[in-house]
């Protein structure tokens, strides 16, 4: 389970109704301003997450047999692209969607294999193929280009690079977009002795990978490079200086996948904001989804602070609970639970408040009040913010790490408003 967009929309309208029913006792002016300053923005935040999200578009280029299809399968974690040597008849790019029904996510892949299979007798790539590749980049506006090369063949990469440069320069001139590109040194296992694998166990293989990477960065791409993983230099580079965003060695052979996570991080960091949810959900990347969750907590914390502009009596704390229930449910869904009140109730039970599954959201909200850590008789903005923050962090600890930490126990000094 994950963020099901349809169900999230339904939840939003339930939450909206819930707020209306809880704010019934407030004077109309307070209610209006709370709705405008607090509930509205919270609902809008989630609506944006859902409605603005779209599949990431990844264009894969590279010569035949270098492992483009294998790489797509490795990234998707399942077989979606045919691996092997089925020769296409026409040089065109093939766009297709990969769906991840359980994760409510979709990716769009543009496979340019056909174009690269039409080679001149001298091994060069014909001009018609180049212009077709340009058209593909213009037509599909990919979030990222995955430029795949078989690692042992990096030394003959300069022709590909010239071609690539010509393509991106033209697209930049015409459309004023610079598509980030990741250079992928595939078949890393086949550099040197293929039996010396994985590099974590063979220092000589690690050194060869390192050499291969430096060569790609310094002699081929001519970019500034920083390590993607501080502890393991041969996991790859983040690069600046041209459109290449990074260089990552991988093995995408089925069953032997290696370093795909590093590549996923690089891709995730370089695709459009709206494409991140589908990208990460499909891969069930908890670390990344937790980042989405943390940014939601931050936003909801700030939004809750909005009650400070119309301080309400403590007895009216319930008006904040719809917002908090929404936050809890979304955090749970990011961690793989379904979008429903069950998810919120699961959390409440974990921190010691039991709400029978048969009860509606209204009851859930009533119970939530019991764990909202506030003091004083008037809810100030900073108190509301702190309460929402503690509940968010507590829910995050539970859903992502299985830790039961009551909101009251979430460290106050962690509150960043
Ligand atoms: N050892 C090793 N073999 C790989 C790796 N990645 C792919 N292969 C093998 O290389 C061959 C070609 O892989 P494909 O994924 O079909 O390559 P492709 O670039 O999609 O090829 P075309 O679709 O023909 O352009 C297959 O036999 C793969 O199993 C890898 O990382 N290591
Ligand atoms: Mg292929």
């Amino acid at each position: 389970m994950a963020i099901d967009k349809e169900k999230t929309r339904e939840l939003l309208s339930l939450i909206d109704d819930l707020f209306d029913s809880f704010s019934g006792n407030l004077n109309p002016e307070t209610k209006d301003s709370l709705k405008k300053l607090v509930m509205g923005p919270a609902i809008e935040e989630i609506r944006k997450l859902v409605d603005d999200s779209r599949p990431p578009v990844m264009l894969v280029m590279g010569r035949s047999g270098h492992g483009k299809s294998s790489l797509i399968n490795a990234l998707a974690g399942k077989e979606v692209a045919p691996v092997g040597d089925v020769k296409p008849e026409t040089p065109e790019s093939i766009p297709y969607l990969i769906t991840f029904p359980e994760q409510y996510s979709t990716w769009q892949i543009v496979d340019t294999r056909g174009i690269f299979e039409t080679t001149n007798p001298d091994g060069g790539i014909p001009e018609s193929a180049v212009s077709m590749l340009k058209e593909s980049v213009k037509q599909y506006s990919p979030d990222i280009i995955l430029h795949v090369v078989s690692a042992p063949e990096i030394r003959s990469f300069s022709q590909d690079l010239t071609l690539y440069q010509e393509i991106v320069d033209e697209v930049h001139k015409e459309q004023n977009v610079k598509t980030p590109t990741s250079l992928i040194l595939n078949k890393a296992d086949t550099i040197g002795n293929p039996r010396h694998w994985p590099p974590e166990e063979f220092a000589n293989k690690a050194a060869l990978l390192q050499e291969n990477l430096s060569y790609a960065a310094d002699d081929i791409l001519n970019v500034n490079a920083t390590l993607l993983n501080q502890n393991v230099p041969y996991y790859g580079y983040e690069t600046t200086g041209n459109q290449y965003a990074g260089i990552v060695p991988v093995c995408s052979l089925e069953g032997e996948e290696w370093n795909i996570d590093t590549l996923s991080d690089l891709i995730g960091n370089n695709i459009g904001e709206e494409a991140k949810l589908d990208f990460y959900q499909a891969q069930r990347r908890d670390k990344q989804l937790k980042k989405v969750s943390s940014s939601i907590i931050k936003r909801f914390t700030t939004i809750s602070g909005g009650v400070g502009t119309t301080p309400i009596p403590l007895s009216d704390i319930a008006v904040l609970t719809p917002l908090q229930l929404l936050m809890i449910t979304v955090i749970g869904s990011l961690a793989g639970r379904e979008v429903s009140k069950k998810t919120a109730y699961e959390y409440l039970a974990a921190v010691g408040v039991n709400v029978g599954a048969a009860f509606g959201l209204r009851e859930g909200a009533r119970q939530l009040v019991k764990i909202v850590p506030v003091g004083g008789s008037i809810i100030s903005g900073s108190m509301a913010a702190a309460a929402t923050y503690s509940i968010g962090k507590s829910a995050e600890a539970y859903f992502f790490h299985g830790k039961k930490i009551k909101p009251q126990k979430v460290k106050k000094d962690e509150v960043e408003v």
Side-chain angles (χ1 to χ4, degrees):
M1 290 295 163
I3 297 277
D4 172 343
K5 293 167 192 171
E6 205 42 56
K7 284 208 179 128
T8 305
R9 286 188 198 102
E10 285 166 24
L11 176 74
L12 289 178
S13 89
L14 285 176
I15 293 287
D16 205 28
D17 292 347
L18 194 61
F19 173 80
D20 285 339
S21 83
F22 278 128
S23 55
N25 301 335
L26 298 175
N27 75 53
E29 221 167 277
T30 309
K31 179 180 170 171
D32 278 358
S33 70
L34 279 181
K35 181 130 193 173
K36 207 165 104 224
L37 290 164
V38 183
M39 259 345 268
I43 287 183
E44 187 51 29
E45 192 68 26
I46 304 304
R47 201 186 304 281
K48 256 196 346 228
L49 179 75
V50 171
D51 285 345
D52 293 354
S53 83
R54 57 162 178 85
V57 183
M58 296 177 259
L59 185 139
V60 192
M61 63 185 266
R63 299 204 175 209
S64 180
H66 284 216
K68 297 181 296 299
S69 302
S70 306
L71 178 77
I72 293 167
N73 292 340
L75 282 170
K78 61 181 183 182
E79 203 180 321
V80 283
V83 172
D85 54 0
V86 194
K87 296 245 183 276
E89 299 296 311
T90 47
E92 59 187 6
S93 32
I94 307 163
Y96 57 93
L97 294 175
I98 306 178
T99 54
F100 303 83
E102 300 252 306
Q103 278 73 246
Y104 306 101
S105 302
T106 308
W107 292 358
Q108 184 174 23
I109 301 286
V110 183
D111 191 344
T112 62
R113 57 185 298 220
I115 293 168
F116 274 89
E117 273 183 355
T118 53
T119 48
N120 282 332
D122 65 358
I125 293 159
E127 190 47 42
S128 63
V130 176
S131 57
M132 217 139 353
L133 199 47
K134 277 180 198 158
E135 288 315 308
S136 297
V137 178
K138 287 185 217 165
Q139 182 182 350
Y140 298 108
S141 305
D143 286 290
I144 191 164
I145 295 173
L146 305 178
H147 200 166
V148 182
V149 60
S150 171
E153 292 179 51
I154 185 69
R155 278 162 215 278
S156 50
F157 187 66
S158 55
Q159 198 193 5
D160 289 44
L161 186 67
T162 313
L163 165 74
Y164 166 83
Q165 206 54 55
E166 189 187 324
I167 294 167
V168 293
D169 284 350
E170 185 173 313
V171 174
H172 183 221
K173 211 166 71 199
E174 282 184 25
Q175 300 189 330
N176 200 26
V177 284
K178 283 194 167 182
T179 314
T181 302
S182 172
L183 177 60
I184 295 146
L185 306 173
N186 190 36
K187 307 195 184 187
D189 55 312
T190 65
I191 300 178
N193 186 343
R195 272 176 303 187
H196 290 175
W197 191 255
E200 287 83 357
E201 287 166 27
F202 293 92
N204 58 336
K205 187 52 118 356
L208 281 176
L209 284 178
Q210 186 66 67
E211 212 180 281
N212 202 265
L213 265 167
S214 308
Y215 182 78
D218 303 337
D219 298 312
I220 302 272
L221 298 189
N222 199 8
V223 283
N224 305 315
T226 48
L227 298 182
L228 280 167
N229 181 317
Q230 296 307 320
N231 302 320
V232 195
Y234 56 85
Y235 279 2
Y237 297 153
E238 186 167 32
T239 57
T240 51
N242 58 23
Q243 270 172 259
Y244 281 93
I247 313 172
V248 185
V250 299
C251 171
S252 40
L253 193 60
E254 196 189 345
E256 301 281 329
E257 292 86 352
W258 174 81
N259 207 28
I260 299 293
D261 281 2
T262 309
L263 178 61
S264 291
D265 285 345
L266 182 72
I267 296 174
N269 287 337
N270 283 282
I271 56 179
E273 279 306 314
E274 329 78 58
K276 289 184 179 177
L277 185 64
D278 276 57
F279 182 69
Y280 291 136
Q281 285 214 135
Q283 294 187 318
R284 300 168 177 266
R285 305 276 332 265
D286 267 11
K287 202 176 92 195
Q288 313 301 340
L289 291 166
K290 202 181 141 190
K291 276 193 205 162
V292 179
S293 149
S294 297
S295 77
I296 286 174
I297 296 173
K298 219 173 178 171
R299 286 289 300 139
F300 272 52
T301 298
T302 309
I303 290 170
S304 299
V307 301
T309 49
T310 38
I312 49 172
L314 187 60
S315 54
D316 282 327
I317 184 84
V319 298
L320 264 186
T321 54
L323 172 144
Q324 290 156 345
L325 276 180
L326 173 63
M327 177 180 68
I328 295 167
T329 312
V330 171
I331 294 170
S333 312
L334 285 168
R337 306 301 202 279
E338 72 179 279
V339 180
S340 86
K341 66 173 189 207
K342 259 196 281 175
T343 294
Y345 290 3
E346 180 190 332
Y347 161 75
L348 287 175
V351 292
V353 181
N354 267 300
V355 191
F359 289 101
L361 268 180
R362 203 180 153 80
E363 185 56 26
R366 232 196 290 278
Q367 296 297 329
L368 180 59
V369 174
K370 294 187 183 161
I371 60 159
V372 178
V374 282
S377 59
I378 291 283
I379 311 167
S380 68
S382 61
M383 261 155 43
T388 298
Y389 178 85
S390 314
I391 292 172
K393 284 295 162 192
S394 159
E396 195 173 75
Y398 172 69
F399 287 120
F400 281 95
H401 306 290
K403 286 193 194 146
K404 301 179 179 180
I405 306 169
K406 290 190 194 268
Q408 297 90 327
K409 295 273 160 56
V410 171
K411 282 198 214 85
K412 285 264 186 317
D413 57 11
E414 281 177 15
V415 180
E416 351 141 0
V417 196

